[in-house]
Amino acid sequence: PGADYNPINACTAFDSRPGQGASGGFLGERNDGAATTYQITGSYTGQGGTVVGCGVPAGADAVLVNLVSIQADFAGNFQAFATGSNPTGGVLNFAPTSPVMNNSNAVVVPLSAAGQLDLFTNAPSAAGAATTHARGVILGYFD
């Protein structure tokens, strides 16, 4: 409440697929029961997507992000929340399909004071296994 929305050109802040610029812990399918912390403000490297940042300034309170589950192996959901806080529920449900289809949902996600968000992968049937690739496209921010 009371925050101003600032649209930006759609910008990929993270993408876990090979060939999209991700490296280290950002590369590969997200694992059930694990959270990945993504930097949204400023510049960043290794997350996949753009390496110069999406233009979200320090101090932004939240972002409008289109979350995408790509090639899910198990049914589950993503939970997205400010790093250091607790998730409140799923923001994107996904399931394996034939033919393979991606699932997406645009949601407003709060950011931590450091400009980060966590993406938690919840796929109970996977029991800790890799479940789906993740992509986050920033559409705007609130300040």
Side-chain angles (χ1 to χ4, degrees):
D4 291 325
Y5 177 70
N6 302 280
I8 62 171
N9 291 331
C11 177
T12 302
F14 56 90
D15 192 326
S16 68
R17 295 174 294 168
Q20 301 301 313
S23 61
F26 297 114
L27 179 63
E29 290 183 309
R30 305 295 82 197
N31 293 326
D32 170 55
T36 304
T37 299
Y38 294 104
Q39 185 66 43
I40 303 300
T41 61
S43 60
Y44 37 79
T45 60
Q47 296 180 172
T50 182
V51 296
V52 296
C54 288
V56 178
D61 297 311
V63 289
L64 176 60
V65 57
N66 189 42
L67 294 173
V68 185
S69 163
I70 302 169
Q71 300 172 329
D73 297 322
F74 298 94
N77 64 64
F78 284 144
Q79 297 172 347
F81 48 95
T83 300
S85 66
N86 293 319
T88 57
V91 295
L92 171 63
N93 296 321
F94 54 80
T97 59
S98 181
V100 174
M101 293 176 32
N102 300 333
N103 297 286
S104 66
N105 192 24
V107 295
V108 175
V109 179
L111 297 176
S112 69
Q116 299 173 323
L117 67 79
D118 281 356
L119 186 69
F120 181 82
T121 305
N122 180 35
S125 61
T131 59
T132 185
H133 285 285
R135 182 173 191 232
V137 178
I138 307 299
L139 305 172
Y141 63 91
F142 294 85
D143 64 1

